[in-house]
Structures are given as C-alpha cells and as structure tokens.
Amino acid sequence: MTMRSAILVVAALAAFPAAAQTGAAAPPVKPAASQGQPAATLVVEPVAMFIAACDGDGDARVTKEKLNRCVAKSFAAIDTAHTGKLGYIAFADWAERFLGDRNALPSPFETDADGDNQITLAELTAKLDQIFDRLDKNRDGVLTRAELLTIRATAGRDMGDDRRRRR
C-alpha cells in the first residue's frame, strides 16, 4: 500500500467511526416515527350501517319502504319459531347479526314500546322509522350515504396512539 492509499483509507475511516470500529458500513438513517393514520372525522352508527345495507337495488338511496322490507326480512331471520316476537336475548341476537354488536343501539328497552319484554316486528319497524326520520336531514324521505355519516366533533383530540394526552 502506498502512502497515498493509506492516507485515503485513514481519512475514510475517520469519516465513518462506526465502520472503523466494526468494519461494517455505517447504519442506515432511521426514518422519523410515523404518526399513524389520522383519526376519523366521519363515522357511522351501527344502525345507520344497517340502513345503508337495506339498499337492495344499489342506487345508494334508502326509502322507508326499502327499510321496512329489510327490517321484516332481518326480523324473520331471527324469529325462526315464527312467533312474531323476539325476547330480549333474541333481540340481542338480531343486533349482533345485523348491527354488529349485541349492545348496539337501539336497545331492546327503547324498542319495546309496550314494555312486555317482547319486541314485535311492528315495534322494531317503528323504532327504525323513528331513527330514519332523525337521520333524514333534508326531510325528503330518502337516506343517502352522506346523511348516514356522523361528523365526530372530537376528532384529533381524543383519538390516536398518543395516550399521554388522555391522562
């Protein structure tokens, strides 16, 4: 090795101390930690998701007529004994299957209008018609996907992985 080559090797090793100590290349630069996906600002209630699924013809619009047909079909799927009534446990089965969770709203207590611990198709239809009216923001008798969405007012303040903010 010539003197000039030795000087170049020493200069290179001085520029990369980690490589000089281990004989390996310098470690790659680690990218900044990801902040993750931002918190959702639009959410959908489980019952609104059910209503959206009642769009049988795919026009992205749900009328009360479509909703009522869909409610009757879903009720019949749980009322396998054809009694015309669902007890609270069977109603929880309906909620789990069609709303995604046994405790999703509407609750059986608010749906059971006459308080007999049984939910009829008429009571379930009436409760979902009431929810339909609440969601029908422009009062045109048709629910669109935009009307089924809810804007989360607290987005960004209470969501995400930064648990220190919540303490």
Side-chain angles (χ1 to χ4, degrees), residues 16 31 34 60 72 131 141 150 153 158:
F16 299 102
S34 171
I131 293 168
T150 301
D158 64 350

PDB file of all heavy atoms in Angstrom, residues 16 31 34 60 72 131 141 150 153 158:
ATOM      1  N   PHE A  16     -16.161   7.775   8.993  1.00  0.00           N
ATOM      2  CA  PHE A  16     -17.185   6.821   9.405  1.00  0.00           C
ATOM      3  C   PHE A  16     -16.697   6.047  10.617  1.00  0.00           C
ATOM      4  O   PHE A  16     -16.258   4.915  10.509  1.00  0.00           O
ATOM      5  CB  PHE A  16     -17.526   5.846   8.264  1.00  0.00           C
ATOM      6  CG  PHE A  16     -18.060   6.538   7.040  1.00  0.00           C
ATOM      7  CD1 PHE A  16     -17.239   6.746   5.937  1.00  0.00           C
ATOM      8  CD2 PHE A  16     -19.363   7.001   6.995  1.00  0.00           C
ATOM      9  CE1 PHE A  16     -17.731   7.372   4.814  1.00  0.00           C
ATOM     10  CE2 PHE A  16     -19.842   7.635   5.876  1.00  0.00           C
ATOM     11  CZ  PHE A  16     -19.033   7.828   4.779  1.00  0.00           C
ATOM     12  N   PRO A  31     -35.929   6.444   9.551  1.00  0.00           N
ATOM     13  CA  PRO A  31     -36.920   7.488   9.254  1.00  0.00           C
ATOM     14  C   PRO A  31     -37.643   7.929  10.521  1.00  0.00           C
ATOM     15  O   PRO A  31     -37.711   7.190  11.497  1.00  0.00           O
ATOM     16  CB  PRO A  31     -37.878   6.821   8.269  1.00  0.00           C
ATOM     17  CG  PRO A  31     -37.681   5.362   8.459  1.00  0.00           C
ATOM     18  CD  PRO A  31     -36.276   5.171   8.970  1.00  0.00           C
ATOM     19  N   SER A  34     -43.607   7.296  12.467  1.00  0.00           N
ATOM     20  CA  SER A  34     -44.869   7.610  11.805  1.00  0.00           C
ATOM     21  C   SER A  34     -45.907   8.019  12.845  1.00  0.00           C
ATOM     22  O   SER A  34     -45.972   7.456  13.927  1.00  0.00           O
ATOM     23  CB  SER A  34     -45.359   6.393  11.034  1.00  0.00           C
ATOM     24  OG  SER A  34     -46.659   6.625  10.562  1.00  0.00           O
ATOM     25  N   ALA A  60     -77.893   3.548  -3.940  1.00  0.00           N
ATOM     26  CA  ALA A  60     -77.291   4.338  -2.852  1.00  0.00           C
ATOM     27  C   ALA A  60     -78.310   5.254  -2.180  1.00  0.00           C
ATOM     28  O   ALA A  60     -77.958   6.302  -1.653  1.00  0.00           O
ATOM     29  CB  ALA A  60     -76.076   5.120  -3.335  1.00  0.00           C
ATOM     30  N   ALA A  72     -88.208  -6.392   8.046  1.00  0.00           N
ATOM     31  CA  ALA A  72     -89.043  -7.600   8.099  1.00  0.00           C
ATOM     32  C   ALA A  72     -88.213  -8.843   7.780  1.00  0.00           C
ATOM     33  O   ALA A  72     -88.352  -9.885   8.452  1.00  0.00           O
ATOM     34  CB  ALA A  72     -90.214  -7.473   7.132  1.00  0.00           C
ATOM     35  N   ILE A 131     -85.656   6.363  13.817  1.00  0.00           N
ATOM     36  CA  ILE A 131     -84.241   6.630  13.554  1.00  0.00           C
ATOM     37  C   ILE A 131     -84.064   7.148  12.135  1.00  0.00           C
ATOM     38  O   ILE A 131     -83.283   8.082  11.890  1.00  0.00           O
ATOM     39  CB  ILE A 131     -83.400   5.357  13.806  1.00  0.00           C
ATOM     40  CG1 ILE A 131     -83.420   5.030  15.303  1.00  0.00           C
ATOM     41  CG2 ILE A 131     -81.972   5.530  13.292  1.00  0.00           C
ATOM     42  CD1 ILE A 131     -82.880   3.659  15.659  1.00  0.00           C
ATOM     43  N   GLY A 141     -87.452  12.083   2.676  1.00  0.00           N
ATOM     44  CA  GLY A 141     -87.934  10.712   2.715  1.00  0.00           C
ATOM     45  C   GLY A 141     -86.971   9.695   2.129  1.00  0.00           C
ATOM     46  O   GLY A 141     -87.341   8.533   1.934  1.00  0.00           O
ATOM     47  N   THR A 150     -71.839  10.475  10.436  1.00  0.00           N
ATOM     48  CA  THR A 150     -71.832  11.388  11.568  1.00  0.00           C
ATOM     49  C   THR A 150     -70.466  12.047  11.628  1.00  0.00           C
ATOM     50  O   THR A 150     -69.445  11.373  11.524  1.00  0.00           O
ATOM     51  CB  THR A 150     -72.081  10.612  12.883  1.00  0.00           C
ATOM     52  OG1 THR A 150     -73.341   9.953  12.780  1.00  0.00           O
ATOM     53  CG2 THR A 150     -72.084  11.541  14.081  1.00  0.00           C
ATOM     54  N   ALA A 153     -67.083  15.323  16.398  1.00  0.00           N
ATOM     55  CA  ALA A 153     -66.647  16.656  16.833  1.00  0.00           C
ATOM     56  C   ALA A 153     -65.323  16.621  17.567  1.00  0.00           C
ATOM     57  O   ALA A 153     -64.590  17.600  17.564  1.00  0.00           O
ATOM     58  CB  ALA A 153     -67.714  17.285  17.731  1.00  0.00           C
ATOM     59  N   ASP A 158     -59.141  13.206  20.979  1.00  0.00           N
ATOM     60  CA  ASP A 158     -59.162  12.040  21.843  1.00  0.00           C
ATOM     61  C   ASP A 158     -58.862  10.745  21.103  1.00  0.00           C
ATOM     62  O   ASP A 158     -59.095   9.684  21.624  1.00  0.00           O
ATOM     63  CB  ASP A 158     -60.511  11.926  22.547  1.00  0.00           C
ATOM     64  CG  ASP A 158     -61.655  11.704  21.582  1.00  0.00           C
ATOM     65  OD1 ASP A 158     -61.456  11.816  20.365  1.00  0.00           O
ATOM     66  OD2 ASP A 158     -62.753  11.427  22.050  1.00  0.00           O
TER      67      ASP A 158
END
